[in-house]
Amino acid sequence: MDLPNEDDPILIELQAVHSDLKTLIQASADMNTSYEKMNEKFDYMQENLNIASKRVAPLQSLSIAAKALETRINRAVSPGLALLESFKLFEALQRTLLEIASELLAEKNSRKRLEKLIKYVDCVDKLKEAIGCIGRESDPAIQKLQEVVEFLSRTKATDRYRTERLRETLITLKAVCETEVDSMSFDGLLDEALLNLQDEYEGLLKKLRHQNIGERQGDGVDGKNLVSISLGSEVEVEVLRRISETLAANDCLDICIDMFVKVRYIRAAKALMRLSPDYLKTYTPEEIDEMEWESLETAIALWIQHFELAVKTVFVAEKNLCSQVLGNIMEGMVWPECFIKIADKIMAVFFRFGEGVARSSKEPQKLFKLLDMFDSLEKLKPEFSDVFDGESGADICTRFRELEKLLVHASTRVFWEFGLQIEGNQDGFPPPQDGSVPKLVRYAINYLKNLTIDNYSAPMAQVLRTEHLWKSGILSNPENDQDLLKDAVSNVMEAIQRNVESKKSRYKDKVLAQIFAMNTYWYIYMRTRNTELGKVLGEPYMKKRYRYAAEESAYLYQKQAWGSLVKLLDKEDIRRLNNKEGVAGVVKSKMEAFMTGFEEICKRHRINYKIVSDADLREQIKDATIRLVLPAYTEFFDAYSSVFLQGKSYLPPESVEALLRQIFEGGDQGGADGKPRRDSGD
């Protein structure tokens, strides 16, 4: 076997590894020896640490206790310092408030005084907030201080003397917070300031007056006479708003509301009293019935004007003031009720008078004033609804609607009763003795003419439609307004016609009955044609019922008054006679009978009969009468003048014509007894 070569690389590498392993093993043995020595040192140190730990443990407990005490003291100091700052602020605000109050007393300029009053209110608000802060900060300060006292008592972190002093401080702080905070709120300067604000509030409310109302005769709500609906300047309103909010924030809301309502009610009432509404003292139906008609007319006209003025100006202004001053209190829930309290009593007085008029006796002349009242309410309804809107104004709006209902019922009842009175001839008078147009007819026609003019036809039609809807139901299909008005007026016109026919039948003199009918029907026709009443009824209706009736009566008048007279001059029986003596006797007899009848009828026309003063009718009757009488008389006179001229003289045709004209044209061509003179010859 061959020996390895010393220069072999593998052998050299193995020798190097062996040397490294040997060195590593030796180092490991040395390290193990060092670790053993180190363990011995660690054991010694651990023993020393255990001894030190036992000695340091009491100091560690004291350190932890000190840190806990420091934490509690810091927690108690922070709220305590904040509480002290609040007390300092409160004292500073008190001094400021007193200074501003002194300046207010000395200030004479109204504008500057209002500005200082705003500063005063600001200071009161800040004082209230400072008291609130003291109240809010006192409990945390007391609680934290109590925690410190309890901690010291439990841990004995300090000596007993310091703990007792801290406990006494706690007791004193509790007493101060329990008594002083209440005193600050209710018995101190804040309470005095609130009383001052109430006085300022009341004084400023009294100062705001309605301007120009009642200062001029005829003050109204239209055109140049429109009065101001704003109350107070912006600064005054702002001051009132700030004071209201401050009083409300300090538990004085009830006082604020009562004061506002009382003062503004008095101011609104006094503003309207400047209009001298003494008529409002008379409001029961019985009292209204006792009033003179002229006084009642004036009272109703004033009521319409004053009611509109109250709604459109006085209460609009009061509502705006309520909203501006009290609008921010309780999210706007307070001011509507306050406004209604101000307006309710005043509106009740107006409603009371209107209801009294509507419930009073239903005399015909009241219809126009009732319609005036109804029309004014209808025109005022949009503004009224705006002023008294919402739930708070529901009762006033209800009473407004009830008044309208009363006026509708009263108006329709007056109108229907007017027709019934006409038909029932309740005027209590006999037919006119001269056949002239009766006063009732004149009154009724004039009444209906006034009713159909624009001022009254529209409200009357609306009243009739409303009444129709109430009776037939809102789902019914009402007639056209004009048709309703036409039917209503036609009913009264027919009642007038029945009244005329009733009076006509009471005449014993048939001629006079026809004169009466002719006069009356012609009057009705002529007074209604070319008027609003004629337009409502229509020309065909008027002709058929009244013109034709007048013409028929005129024909019967001629037939009964003059026709029988003309028949006396009939020549048929004379022609049958052969001897002159017989003819002369019959002619003279006929002539005597004619003249006697002519004298009688002329006398009646002068004394008992009256043809209406209508020129057209008189001219027509005159011409018709002359055409009827004069030709027959002329023919008879000319034919037989030779017979009766030898004896008694008779009126020539010219004189008969003159007398006929005198009957219808006036003048006096007769004798003292009303008889025509019998002239002879030419």
Side-chain angles (χ1 to χ4, degrees):
M1 180 175 182
D2 294 330
L3 292 173
N5 187 1
E6 293 181 357
D7 296 330
D8 187 0
I10 296 174
L11 182 59
I12 293 171
E13 184 176 353
L14 288 173
Q15 288 176 349
V17 169
H18 175 267
S19 177
D20 291 339
L21 287 173
K22 185 177 179 181
T23 303
L24 182 60
I25 291 171
Q26 184 61 42
S28 175
D30 293 341
M31 187 176 294
N32 186 48
T33 302
S34 297
Y35 277 142
E36 288 178 356
K37 291 179 180 180
M38 190 176 294
N39 283 335
E40 291 177 358
K41 290 181 179 179
F42 276 139
D43 291 340
Y44 178 75
M45 290 174 64
Q46 181 67 39
E47 184 178 356
N48 291 335
L49 285 174
N50 289 336
I51 295 171
S53 175
K54 291 178 182 180
R55 293 177 178 176
V56 170
L59 295 176
Q60 187 176 15
S61 298
L62 291 174
S63 175
I64 294 172
K67 288 182 179 180
L69 178 59
E70 181 183 6
T71 302
R72 282 170 172 76
I73 290 174
N74 289 336
R75 289 178 182 175
V77 167
S78 296
L81 292 175
L83 183 60
L84 288 175
E85 289 298 323
S86 296
F87 272 110
K88 291 180 180 179
L89 177 61
F90 173 75
E91 291 177 356
L93 290 172
Q94 281 187 314
R95 290 191 296 270
T96 304
L97 193 63
L98 290 172
E99 291 173 0
I100 299 175
S102 177
E103 293 175 0
L104 274 174
L105 290 174
E107 186 61 62
K108 301 301 181 183
N109 184 282
S110 58
R111 175 78 182 188
K112 292 181 179 180
R113 195 173 189 283
L114 289 172
E115 293 174 354
K116 284 184 170 58
L117 193 54
I118 290 179
K119 293 181 179 179
Y120 189 81
V121 175
D122 286 336
C123 192
V124 171
D125 291 339
K126 292 177 181 178
L127 189 65
K128 169 68 175 178
E129 179 60 27
I131 294 173
C133 288
I134 291 172
R136 291 190 300 271
E137 293 168 354
S138 59
D139 288 342
I142 292 171
Q143 182 180 355
K144 297 303 179 183
L145 186 59
Q146 188 169 357
E147 290 177 0
V148 172
V149 172
E150 292 175 354
F151 179 80
L152 292 177
S153 299
R154 185 176 63 253
T155 61
K156 295 182 172 41
T158 186
D159 58 78
R160 182 177 179 182
Y161 173 73
R162 289 187 175 86
T163 303
E164 287 299 323
R165 283 186 59 189
L166 199 57
R167 184 177 285 108
E168 291 174 359
T169 302
L170 174 62
I171 295 171
T172 303
L173 183 60
K174 282 183 178 181
V176 168
C177 292
E178 290 175 357
T179 59
E180 289 298 322
V181 173
D182 289 342
S183 177
M184 292 174 186
S185 301
F186 304 110
D187 298 324
L189 187 59
L190 177 62
D191 183 64
E192 182 179 345
L194 293 175
L195 292 175
N196 291 337
L197 285 181
Q198 291 174 24
D199 293 339
E200 295 285 349
Y201 190 67
E202 183 177 14
L204 192 52
L205 284 173
K206 289 180 178 179
K207 183 180 177 182
L208 303 185
R209 302 182 180 184
H210 296 270
Q211 302 297 323
N212 302 327
I213 295 181
E215 294 180 2
R216 297 187 304 272
Q217 186 68 22
D219 274 341
V221 293
D222 298 318
K224 297 180 180 179
N225 287 335
L226 182 65
V227 297
S228 175
I229 58 174
S230 61
L231 292 172
S233 63
E234 292 183 4
V235 178
E236 289 172 327
V237 173
E238 176 66 14
V239 171
L240 287 171
R241 182 187 67 80
R242 292 292 306 277
I243 295 177
S244 298
E245 293 172 359
T246 298
L247 292 176
N250 286 274
D251 299 325
C252 298
L253 180 58
D254 291 341
I255 297 174
C256 173
I257 292 174
D258 290 344
M259 191 180 301
F260 189 96
V261 171
K262 179 181 177 181
V263 173
R264 293 318 308 167
Y265 164 73
I266 293 174
R267 277 287 163 237
K270 285 187 175 181
L272 294 172
M273 285 300 293
R274 293 204 295 271
L275 301 171
S276 300
D278 295 334
Y279 63 90
L280 292 175
K281 297 177 182 178
T282 304
Y283 57 87
T284 65
E286 295 77 16
E287 291 174 329
I288 289 174
D289 288 337
E290 294 176 359
M291 292 179 67
E292 295 291 336
W293 173 241
E294 292 77 9
S295 299
L296 182 58
E297 271 190 309
T298 302
I300 293 174
L302 289 174
W303 180 87
I304 292 172
Q305 179 184 355
H306 296 170
F307 191 92
E308 185 177 4
L309 180 68
V311 173
K312 285 188 174 182
T313 60
V314 175
F315 290 131
V316 168
E318 292 294 342
K319 184 177 183 180
N320 289 339
L321 185 65
C322 279
S323 176
Q324 292 168 342
V325 174
L326 305 175
N328 294 335
I329 298 175
M330 293 182 64
E331 299 180 351
M333 297 174 63
V334 170
W335 75 265
E337 295 291 341
C338 292
F339 168 65
I340 295 302
K341 288 180 180 179
I342 294 169
D344 186 54
K345 291 181 180 179
I346 299 175
M347 292 305 303
V349 175
F350 281 107
F351 286 135
R352 188 176 61 183
F353 177 83
E355 291 162 357
V357 172
R359 291 191 173 103
S360 62
S361 62
K362 305 301 182 283
E363 298 172 356
Q365 67 270 23
K366 284 185 180 177
L367 175 61
F368 299 100
K369 305 315 294 181
L370 292 170
L371 291 177
D372 284 339
M373 294 172 70
F374 173 78
D375 190 44
S376 70
L377 294 185
E378 278 295 298
K379 292 177 180 177
L380 191 61
K381 187 182 291 185
E383 290 90 344
F384 193 93
S385 299
D386 288 340
V387 173
F388 299 103
D389 60 345
E391 184 178 352
S392 58
D395 290 341
I396 291 181
C397 288
T398 298
R399 195 159 182 185
F400 181 90
R401 291 191 295 270
E402 290 299 323
L403 177 56
E404 278 200 311
K405 289 180 181 179
L406 285 175
L407 292 172
V408 168
H409 287 309
S411 300
T412 53
R413 185 177 172 186
V414 167
F415 189 69
W416 298 132
E417 287 189 2
F418 175 63
L420 293 175
Q421 289 172 1
I422 293 173
E423 187 166 358
N425 197 23
Q426 293 184 15
D427 55 351
F429 296 103
Q433 295 181 1
D434 58 359
S436 60
V437 181
K439 292 181 179 180
L440 178 62
V441 173
R442 294 177 183 273
Y443 178 81
I445 294 302
N446 189 56
Y447 189 91
L448 294 177
K449 285 174 65 178
N450 287 330
L451 184 62
T452 51
I453 62 176
D454 291 339
N455 288 347
Y456 293 111
S457 61
M460 187 69 216
Q462 187 173 359
V463 162
L464 293 171
R465 183 181 72 249
T466 304
E467 183 79 3
H468 178 81
L469 288 173
W470 287 345
K471 290 181 177 179
S472 305
I474 59 175
L475 298 179
S476 64
N477 186 20
E479 300 179 53
N480 182 274
D481 283 3
Q482 285 300 112
D483 292 339
L484 287 171
L485 182 62
K486 179 180 179 180
D487 292 343
V489 173
S490 298
N491 290 334
V492 178
M493 292 293 292
E494 291 169 7
I496 294 173
Q497 190 171 11
R498 288 190 288 270
N499 180 281
V500 172
E501 292 299 321
S502 174
K503 280 185 168 61
K504 177 183 174 183
S505 66
R506 294 164 62 183
Y507 283 103
K508 294 180 180 180
D509 185 341
K510 300 303 180 183
V511 175
L512 188 57
Q514 298 305 329
I515 291 176
F516 167 75
M518 175 185 66
N519 285 338
T520 304
Y521 287 133
W522 190 257
Y523 173 86
I524 293 173
Y525 175 72
M526 293 304 295
R527 289 299 183 276
T528 55
R529 64 180 304 191
N530 299 325
T531 66
E532 294 300 325
L533 176 58
K535 292 179 183 178
V536 169
L537 295 173
E539 183 65 18
Y541 176 92
M542 296 304 300
K543 282 185 177 181
K544 181 179 179 181
R545 283 192 171 271
Y546 303 105
R547 180 174 176 176
Y548 295 163
E551 291 174 348
E552 181 182 0
S553 296
Y555 170 77
L556 293 175
Y557 153 74
Q558 286 185 332
K559 181 179 179 180
Q560 294 172 4
W562 304 103
S564 58
L565 191 63
V566 171
K567 285 183 179 180
L568 294 174
L569 302 177
D570 184 67
K571 300 189 293 293
E572 187 63 30
D573 55 343
I574 299 176
R575 293 191 186 100
R576 291 196 293 265
L577 297 175
N578 296 323
N579 56 357
K580 292 184 178 180
E581 291 79 5
V583 170
V586 172
V587 168
K588 288 182 178 181
S589 175
K590 284 182 176 288
M591 202 64 176
E592 284 292 331
F594 177 85
M595 292 309 300
T596 300
F598 188 72
E599 289 175 0
E600 179 64 25
I601 198 167
C602 285
K603 180 180 178 181
R604 289 187 179 182
H605 274 80
R606 286 189 175 90
I607 298 175
N608 298 328
Y609 299 164
K610 180 180 180 181
I611 307 298
V612 293
S613 58
D614 183 84
D616 188 25
L617 176 61
R618 292 175 67 85
E619 188 68 23
Q620 291 184 49
I621 297 298
K622 178 191 71 174
D623 292 344
T625 302
I626 291 174
R627 287 196 303 270
L628 176 65
V629 176
L630 190 60
Y633 181 78
T634 301
E635 182 181 353
F636 191 89
F637 187 90
D638 291 342
Y640 301 107
S641 60
S642 60
V643 175
F644 52 74
L645 282 177
Q646 298 174 1
K648 193 175 182 179
S649 64
Y650 295 96
L651 293 175
E654 294 81 3
S655 296
V656 171
E657 181 180 2
L659 287 170
L660 289 174
R661 291 185 181 279
Q662 179 220 344
I663 290 174
F664 297 103
E665 294 177 357
D668 185 10
Q669 297 180 11
D673 59 355
K675 296 181 180 180
R677 297 186 184 92
R678 298 190 180 187
D679 299 327
S680 61
D682 296 333

